[in-house]
């Protein structure tokens, strides 16, 4: 298959090919390296004029949807507005052009940002210490689990098991596995909370950690949290807080005060740094005192009026990444923290709750909202009944949403609710937007009954039509090649 | 500066629809004892104040006027298109492209990235990015472990030490034993390799260019490893070298991994950078992370989508090939824009400029009485210098002159106590080189 | 760096289609004697070289750390949205919106600009922008001349002198006589006005705030001018003052014109800035330049288009209201983004901050023995200070401290030889003010 | 009419209203100014969250078409690619944040840019001196005419008349008029060149100047230029070169060497600075020696290793603008000049000619190309015949072009060719783009015969449908008001 619009097809070896200045000729320069170690394989590379490159990527951008395009109620992803000042500050060359091996004296601004951001996150989470190095949420989980592993190793305990609720995000069990643990799943009760009886059966001195998200992936605040904490802590099982859902309690409550021993944050969710179509993010890990010694890599310290990076002690798990942190991501989230200040954070979580609850109320007469007890910052709609009746799939519903100019909610997650949509509006959406979105969902529900083909054939108003995922997986074409 | 679009009236109306008297009632699922009164943070600031605050912080950094250091973080030119085009909000503020019909921009940019990286490394498959060169190496080793079911890995001593530390962390948790191959910093000793190698290793990790900047010819060991059905993994911490060096694939590697920060990522104090991981076809099902594939839409147009997701955590959970979820996608898009802008000729001449500048620097330093270079070193843009002059003296002088250079290898290798790493790229001017050499000459 | 997308093959193929042997044959209509061999310009540079060249040039500028100067060019905060949103290539690289169906972005942004500026000046109509405050004044006077058919105009002495010079150039060519009303820099003397005014003038140009920063109450002369069916034109060189001051329309002006650089344009050594021109309904058909109007498309949707073009040069040619064609449209779009971002509350508090900071500075200076402020001066963000200390002494000290301030009014008015203009905006910090005052105190 | 999408309708007085810091309260601050001079009229202003502002303007941008979107063959406007490095350099705060009244010592970089750009433009145009102050082409014309006026005034000659060809751009006669001249039109001959006989009849000692564009607005290089120059110069009539069409001869020939006394340039056309949907541009004016003394405002000089601005002498026409120049526009064009260098300029004009001639050849079998003798950088298609036959207007053709994703050529200019389209491809378009565009024009020609309604009802693939211009002019709505 040839895609005429791919950059490789636009190449024409134009006379304005980009180049860098060299003084000698290619052959003489390459004489510095033995022939056998040289390549001659750049012929696949395009040589396109800058104007055509610009048009190419601008065209691509026009085939993409971001938060700045419109409402992006992707549950569990906290797609809030990404303030432009964050980007402006991070673009300052005095922050951007700094080599990680610069002398400490020359990077006092960088280190102060890291130090102060860490302090702020300590305050926000109620943890005793925060490490900024992980690159994303899953990386934070892994780091947290390494820490727990090291903690028990130091106590000379073998604890091979990690508990995760059946509603957990896939990264939780996967991280446990990558960290060399065995995963045991804890059931949810009928309402979606942790099933305490099941938990009681599964805890033991073999369990290193229970990983929770709170509110959980159904948007429910664990009603028996105190009990869970007690059950675990009685056996020294570490409680892990997956911060993907922190936005619900940001500024309202601190995971560190509710019993969690380890927490990771998703700066690219709760702290408004752009997700960029797949990262880079940052997944700082916070821990309670008893785990501080195990934190990874280096630490920013402030002594004698000077900031510096200090290698952590011998109990440290070691590094989890090259260099210190995803600095510009941390910087952006620190700009966000400084902007909002205590007043901003006092409203943030409440408005995230307001938006989710409001949207939930607008929809609950029409849809089966799986999270009945109480909605926090997101909620899950089950379309099981509708799908059964109409022979449509939840994906048909999701694709039809695209036709109305919105991004779809998260589809088929959490796994414990069948045919579900998970909706998270975040606090940066207006009442007007929520009203319109509710209207459209209700309209689509109507369409599913009166004209199900509309959904089946959707989307039609998008740059391309419904994508054939099966074909993609059956005959994988994973790079472009001219001859095929 | 806050970003809440609600008016007071909106809030009232919404509360009344929900049936709550005030916002605080929404907190009710949270036990009252856990409700925070107010966070101990500074007060909200206006945008102007925020801007002034961070201008002040930025001014506390004192940038070098000359950077002649690499060591895994390379100072390369970033064409103006990169910020301008990647900065488009549609790329910036999108999530992972779950809804392909409105995400072709990200998807195609990543597909182009995969094509670039797979070809530049001479491999069949690239994933959609890893976090960085260190985690990419760790994930590559996980592939080797899983496909050979061996719990030992042989690693060249001169792999980037940052990566090696990451590898140790990852492997430690999996109880995989890392054996260091105590090789020569300038070339691979095949005889020594033969002595240490055995089929208990899942594979061998070689770095080229290695941390000393040396381009390593490891073709002599490929057959040895292959004979045992074990994997050769090449770690590349300077992706720019792929512009001129024989590809890992052509050298005989099964997996290539490394750092592509050089393709359009600013230095940014070490992150976010761009990990890459590529493999030969047979390892595809073991690849970690996102992969974009070509397919068709219902109109028959060629389009792109995330594919082979059955490897991934959201489907396979604890049985997934990796736990990675968000990767460094925007960095991959930056690399796409970078590579599309410079094109074949630009990438090639950039590589040549790196060789030319660094070898000029090498020649000039070799003329200095008190400094020595390694005659036999084959390098791309980074090389090793030794001297008996005390590090403090050199470092003080360079700092005074605003030059970042002469990274002491002693920090990483006790055996290289008077050795320094030094790097020149296409950014380096002749004046900067001559200036450095003059300063060194005066020591 | 060049931008030609042709390959050598393309060129050959195209030439053969045209039937030419080489590119030079395309020059054939130009007499050979006029063909240039080669331009005496430096050689082509790579993008990297261009970047390095201009970085060096930029470094030759030594920016002030404190700017306490205005005089028609104001240092205001530009919210991050302005560059980010106006910088969208669709706005940047469009031409004048001749094809409305694919230019709604520019058209609506300008329509919003017109709404902002018309309302902020209390007028019915704004055009789509003028080049700057000076040319806007000249064009306003052309309206007055054409609608009254009088060839004389009365102009307040304290109109921004840059504008006055422009006005003289324009009016000179039209043989319009400019009479300067020798008013007081701090208030308008109605009696003096009555003496000089007569119906031979097409109108009166008053500046408020004027070049000395004074807010001028000219309501006392409006009826006098109106009685003669002549026009009052208010020239505003600091549009930010519109955030708090009574609008020109409410003051009684028929036309308002001036400089809106303050709404999101960087200082940029004086340009490009944003001239604005607004009028009461009855002068609409005399307005120069582009105007965007609301209308419908064939589906009945509300849309925008360039309208009333029968006034313009491309239709009316020598009978047009003006010769302006390209204006400063992107600057108007910037103003739209600026004003939409800050909104009513932001604009108001910005205005208040200007008053607060500048009055604090005024108070502090008034306490210094060797400096005098004018007790009666009513001002927005700029005011006049006098002192007997030699200018060179002050200027040397301020330069040493990186402060731009104390513009000598003597440059513009012989009568104000020991007077200086000084300005503080929302950008000014208390420390900067205290620092300046301390320095002045030490003189 | 209410436009729900206008920013003023999005206002909801949100709690995140933007603000600046003030210490005292509003009333106290306003006490500094008498009540009678204060307003209370900002209620029309929106108060919208930043996220909604961002979405608003991004939506607007998506309803706009720029050169980066696609082919923009707008004749006479030279819509070439605008290099991104120009913007990057101009965005450097060390260039952007400079107050025009800074001390000379602090702006040496700015002044060097201005000085060197001027030098380069002198070399490129072959004039003796260049002034950088005018803000646009029309402003350059006005400045040039003021200079000519001052020249004759100094010679104590009354010369009230300006000659312009009937093919001239509207700004030429309009500028003459604003400069206080009377305009007399010179006819074009059947081929579109200046009618020499008509010119001879119209020249006299009353004529101050003959304004030409060369190539003229039909894209024709004046074949009798030497004769024209002689006819004019014999009577000391100044020859004016409207630089809008300079791109055709850029790097090939210099207007200063072909007899012109005054020339203006459009940096926003030939020198690749973005037009921004209507400026800002820059329209530097070049003159021959005898006119230097009349140049406006100030001059950048270089003496004793220092650049500075010097007021020009007493013969100067005075200032034509506030401050010195549209600095950032001049800077961008200087970046362009430095980038291209002599090698770039040696190809630029030739490739502009190549593109226009190639496209012309592709089309000439199908269309009536009004400029038969020889195409330079642009050409004019007459659709008179097609319009007569199909009862379509040239606008119908233009609008249909939009449907295929291109910007339309210039419509109905020059006035001397009826129902015309003026096509200027510029040198930054590829053969591929030209091939596709030719294909589409030919297809539309076919459509006009087989299905004229397609054209009449076009455009249909654009963000909005055909706009009602008559309604706009009949009942002008020129600003938004909430009550209407
Ligand atoms: C509940 C939950 N946990 C963990 C993650 C993983 O975060 P990341 O994608 O940053 O690795 C996500 C992200 O989707 C999530 O929703
Ligand atoms: C031939 C010609 N002359 C003059 C002008 C006026 O230039 P500007 O719009 O920069 O004032 C134009 C622009 O359209 C033109 O095409």
């Amino acid at each position: 298959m040839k895609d005429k619009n791919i950059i490789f097809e636009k190449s024409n070896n134009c006379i304005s090919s980009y180049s860098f200045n060299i003084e000698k000729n290619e052959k003489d320069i390459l004489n510095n390296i033995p022939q056998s170690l040289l390549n001659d394989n750049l012929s696949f590379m395009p040589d396109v004029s800058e104007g055509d490159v610009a048009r190419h990527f601008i065209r691509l951008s026009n085939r993409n949807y971001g938060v700045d395009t419109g409402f992006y109620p992707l549950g569990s992803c906290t797609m809030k507005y990404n303030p432009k000042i964050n980007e402006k500050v991070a673009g300052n060359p005095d922050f951007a052009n700094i080599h990680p091996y610069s002398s400490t004296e020359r990077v006092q601004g960088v280190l102060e940002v890291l130090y102060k951001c860490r302090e702020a996150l300590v305050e926000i989470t109620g943890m005793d210490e925060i490490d900024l190095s992980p690159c994303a949420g899953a990386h934070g989980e892994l780091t947290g689990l390494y820490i727990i592993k090291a903690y028990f190793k130091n106590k000379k305990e073998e604890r091979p098991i990690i508990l995760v609720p059946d509603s957990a995000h896939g990264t939780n069990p996967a991280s446990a596995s990558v960290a060399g643990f065995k995963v045991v799943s804890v059931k949810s009760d009928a309402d979606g909370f942790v099933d305490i009886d099941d938990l009681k059966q599964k805890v033991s001195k073999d369990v290193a950690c229970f990983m929770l998200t709170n509110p959980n992936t159904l948007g429910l605040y664990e009603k028996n949290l105190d009990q869970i904490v007690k059950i675990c802590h009685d056996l020294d099982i570490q409680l892990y807080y997956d911060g993907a859902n922190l936005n619900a309690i940001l500024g309202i409550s601190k995971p560190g005060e509710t019993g969690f021993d380890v927490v990771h944050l998703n700066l690219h969710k709760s702290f408004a740094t752009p997700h960029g179509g797949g990262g880079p993010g940052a997944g700082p890990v916070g821990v309670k005192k008893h785990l501080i010694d195990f934190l990874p890599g280096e630490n920013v310290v402030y002594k004698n009026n000077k900031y510096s990076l200090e290698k952590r002690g011998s109990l440290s798990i070691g590094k989890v990444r090259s260099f210190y942190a995803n600095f510009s991501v941390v910087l952006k989230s620190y700009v966000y923290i400084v902007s909002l200040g205590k007043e901003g954070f006092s409203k943030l979580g409440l408005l995230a709750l307001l938006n989710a609850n409001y949207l939930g109320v607008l929809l609950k007469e029409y849809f089966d909202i799986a999270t009945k007890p109480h909605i926090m910052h997101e909620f899950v709609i089950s379309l099981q009944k509708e799908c059964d009746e109409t022979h449509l799939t939840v994906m048909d519903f999701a694709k039809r949403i695209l036709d109305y100019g919105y991004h779809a909610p998260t589809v088929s997650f959490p796994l414990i609710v069948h045919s579900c949509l998970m909706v998270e509006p975040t606090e940066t959406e207006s009442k007007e937007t929520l009203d319109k979105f509710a209207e459209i969902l209700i309209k689509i529900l109507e369409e599913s009954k009166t004209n199900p083909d509309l959904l089946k054939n959707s989307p039609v108003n998008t740059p391309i039509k419904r994508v054939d995922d099966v074909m993609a997986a059956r005959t994988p074409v994973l790079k472009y090649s001219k001859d095929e | 500066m806050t970003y809440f679009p609600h008016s007071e009236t909106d809030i009232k109306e919404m509360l009344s629809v929900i049936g709550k008297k005030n916002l605080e009632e929404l907190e009710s699922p949270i036990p009252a004892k856990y409700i925070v009164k107010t966070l101990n943070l500074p007060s909200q600031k206006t945008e102007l104040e925020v801007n002034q605050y961070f201008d002040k912080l930025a001014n506390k950094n004192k940038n070098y006027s000359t950077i002649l250091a690499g060591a895994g973080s390379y100072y390369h030119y970033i064409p103006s298109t990169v910020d301008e085009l990647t900065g488009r909000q549609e790329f910036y503020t999108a999530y992972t492209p779950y809804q392909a019909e409105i995400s072709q921009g990200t998807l195609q940019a990543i597909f182009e990235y995969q094509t670039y990286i797979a070809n530049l490394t001479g491999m069949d498959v690239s994933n959609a990015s890893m976090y960085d060169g260190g985690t990419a190496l760790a994930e590559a080793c996980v592939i080797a472990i899983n496909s050979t079911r061996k719990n030992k890995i042989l690693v060249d001593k001169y792999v980037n030490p940052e990566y090696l530390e990451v590898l140790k962390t990852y492997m430690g948790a999996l109880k995989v034993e890392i054996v260091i191959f105590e090789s020569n910093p300038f070339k691979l000793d095949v005889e020594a390799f033969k002595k240490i190698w055995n089929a208990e290793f899942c594979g061998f990790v070689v770095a080229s260019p290695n941390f000393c900047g040396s381009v390593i010819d490891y073709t002599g060991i490929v057959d040895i490893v292959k004979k045992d059905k074990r994997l050769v993994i090449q770690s590349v911490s300077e992706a720019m070298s792929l512009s001129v060096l024989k590809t890992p694939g052509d050298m005989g590697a099964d997996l290539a991994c490394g750092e592509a920060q050089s393709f359009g990522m600013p230095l940014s104090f070490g992150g976010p950078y761009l990990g890459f991981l590529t493999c030969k076809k047979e390892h595809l099902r073991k690849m970690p992370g996102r992969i974009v594939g070509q397919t068709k839409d219902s109109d028959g147009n060629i389009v792109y989508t995330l594919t082979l997701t059955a490897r991934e955590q959201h489907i396979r959970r604890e049985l997934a090939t990796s736990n990675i979820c968000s990767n460094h996608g925007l960095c991959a898009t930056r690399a796409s824009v970078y590579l599309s802008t410079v094109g074949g000729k630009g990438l090639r001449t950039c590589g040549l400029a790196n060789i030319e500048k660094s070898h000029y620097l090498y020649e000039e330093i070799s003329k200095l009485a008190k400094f020595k270079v390694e005659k036999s070193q084959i390098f791309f843009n980074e090389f090793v210098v030794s001297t008996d002059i005390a590090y403090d003296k050199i470092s003080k002088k360079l700092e005074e002159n605003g030059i970042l250079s002469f990274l002491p290898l002693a920090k990483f290798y006790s055996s290289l106590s008077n050795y320094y790493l030094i790097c020149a790229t296409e950014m380096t001017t002749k004046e900067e080189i001559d200036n450095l050499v003059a300063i060194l000459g005066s020591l």
Side-chain angles (χ1 to χ4, degrees), chain A residues 3 123 226 278 319 343 399, chain B residues 33-34 162 169 304 327 329:
Chain A
D3 182 353
E123 166 64 14
D226 282 356
K319 298 198 77 157
E343 297 84 356
K399 296 298 180 193
Chain B
K33 62 181 172 184
Y34 294 137
E162 300 262 354
T169 307
Y304 302 92
N327 48 34

Side-chain angles (χ1 to χ4, degrees), chain B residues 278-350:
Chain B
T278 61
C279 68
K280 294 279 169 72
K281 255 200 298 287
E282 50 271 36
H283 304 290
L284 166 58
R285 306 280 159 175
K286 294 242 153 32
M287 276 293 256
R290 312 284 182 200
I291 295 180
V292 174
Q294 204 184 58
T295 184
K296 295 201 167 171
D297 74 356
S298 60
D299 280 353
N301 298 310
I302 296 175
V303 300
Y304 302 92
T305 189
L306 291 175
T307 192
L308 303 173
T309 52
R311 300 165 296 106
E312 288 187 69
Q313 43 73 28
H314 62 286
I315 310 275
R316 289 288 291 282
R317 302 179 73 83
E318 61 269 30
L319 301 176
T321 52
S322 163
N323 70 327
I324 194 170
C325 180
S326 292
N327 48 34
H328 278 196
L330 194 70
C331 301
T333 299
R334 285 182 78 91
S336 266
V337 177
Y338 176 86
L339 292 166
S340 301
T341 300
V342 302
K345 189 171 162 219
L347 193 68
R348 188 71 173 184
T349 51
C350 188

Side-chain angles (χ1 to χ4, degrees), chain A residues 237-283:
Chain A
I237 296 170
Q238 300 295 295
L239 267 166
Y240 187 95
Y241 184 90
D242 173 345
N245 289 346
L246 183 74
N247 214 51
I249 62 163
L250 202 48
I252 300 175
S253 175
K254 302 179 179 183
E257 292 184 356
T258 54
F260 288 96
D261 303 289
V262 186
V263 45
H264 86 252
L265 304 175
N266 294 60
L267 300 188
H268 46 302
K269 294 180 179 175
S270 338
F271 293 87
T273 73
H275 194 268

